Amino acid sequence: MEKAMLVRLGKHLGYGKAQARKLEEENRHLHARESILLAYCHLLSWMGQQECHEWSVLAGLDSEQQQQDGFLLASDTEQFSKDELQLLQQLQSSPLEGMVASVQQEPTVAPDDDLLFYFRRIFSLPPYPGAADMTMQDVSTHYNEVVRELSLNLALHDAAQRHATEAGGAGEWPLAGYKPWQNIRAAFDRLANNFVTLTQMQRDSMHMLAVLVNHADLSQPLLQEANLDDHIRCVRQMGLSAAQKQQIADGYAVFSQLLQPVLLGMRQLQLQQPGDSAAAAAAAAGYKMHREVLHQQEQRTAQLKQLMRKHVLTQLALCGYMMGRCTYTQFARLYMLLYPRQPSTAALGRAVVAILKEDQTQLSTGPGAGQ
């Protein structure tokens, strides 16, 4: 009798613990989502506070040409509604002050209380010299130079780590005072600055193409879209902690959700493009109908351009967030392992989510899982 009661109580206790863990995870997820969205709102508000003149001077464009060329400037927040911008002001309790001091320690690229620090860091740099005239060969050559620098400094970093472990504090490292991660940071800054400048000049197709080319040999056919298995294999060797993997997965989920209505809107606008029948009807109805059709096309084009700019901005923010949750040396290791392919932000997010699921499955089925 007592044994049966103890069994029932044990089952109730196990159920209660499972529910508690579920609620804790839901609470953690909501808190993480709120932190990421708030950081993104602060970022958009920061962008809106930047001076158009400063960016136009840096880009070598006057304000009229800047508007004609559709430059993706930090001050360009017209694609957001008045309600969205008002919400940003309400969420931001105090204005963000310029740039936070450069990261001085290895732990992560961005501090925990400034999740999109790296985005602002890169967008605060002057335009990359010569970006306007760069060819795909130039972009790839620059990428290869950065990867070589990452490789050298990552090797030095690992050697210093091994020396510190093996020496146990005894003996001086021959390159004492030399911090490879600072060189890695400088290399990543140049790479990100180059791609952001290309995006600002509306040459973001160069960046998208760079993810598909074989950087070891541009004469080879374009690579297939990022292979998830390859990214999983490489991410497992980055040395990410459980907390880092969870943070990256949280960010990927939030920004993916932000991208969904943008992608849907782009698809809908593309489907609305008039076909031959509409053109024929316009010709038959005369000049007035023809002008109306042209006006509708112009409106759709403007809306599509606006959505595309939102899409690029959100993707850049996701990339900045993901890198911010890693250390410079961890990200350098990813670039080394994936070469001659360039890492894909989307594939990186999917890989981390897949790894987390595998890890959780192993925990739930391992010894003591039900305790």
Side-chain angles (χ1 to χ4, degrees), residues 16 19 31 35 39 45 80 94 108 139 141 150 179-181 195 219 223 238 251 264 281 285 291 316 328 340 353 368:
Q19 289 297 104
H31 179 72
S35 298
S45 183
F80 299 97
S94 59
T108 55
V139 172
T141 298
L150 293 176
K179 297 182 179 179
W181 74 267
F195 283 134
S219 66
L223 300 170
M238 287 176 66
L264 178 61
R291 289 299 305 168
L316 289 174
Y328 284 106
V353 170

Side-chain angles (χ1 to χ4, degrees), residues 305-358:
K305 184 177 180 180
Q306 191 176 70
L307 288 171
M308 290 175 67
R309 290 159 69 84
K310 256 189 179 181
H311 182 257
V312 170
L313 178 61
T314 307
Q315 283 190 317
L316 289 174
L318 171 59
C319 185
Y321 171 84
M322 282 187 173
M323 184 166 183
R325 296 297 80 211
C326 301
T327 67
Y328 284 106
T329 53
Q330 285 174 334
F331 229 68
R333 202 173 304 281
L334 176 66
Y335 272 67
M336 298 309 310
L337 292 168
L338 276 172
Y339 187 82
R341 177 193 290 281
Q342 181 178 320
S344 161
T345 302
L348 172 59
R350 290 195 296 269
V352 171
V353 170
I355 290 172
L356 271 180
K357 289 182 179 178
E358 291 178 13

Side-chain angles (χ1 to χ4, degrees), residues 11 19 24 68 97 105 111 114 123 162 205 209 212 244 253 273 283 289 321-322 337 339:
K11 289 182 178 179
Q19 289 297 104
E24 288 175 358
Q68 291 175 351
E97 300 179 1
Q105 300 179 3
D114 194 358
F123 265 76
R162 287 194 301 271
S205 59
L209 186 61
L212 299 176
Q244 285 177 305
Q273 293 294 338
M289 178 63 74
Y321 171 84
M322 282 187 173
L337 292 168
Y339 187 82

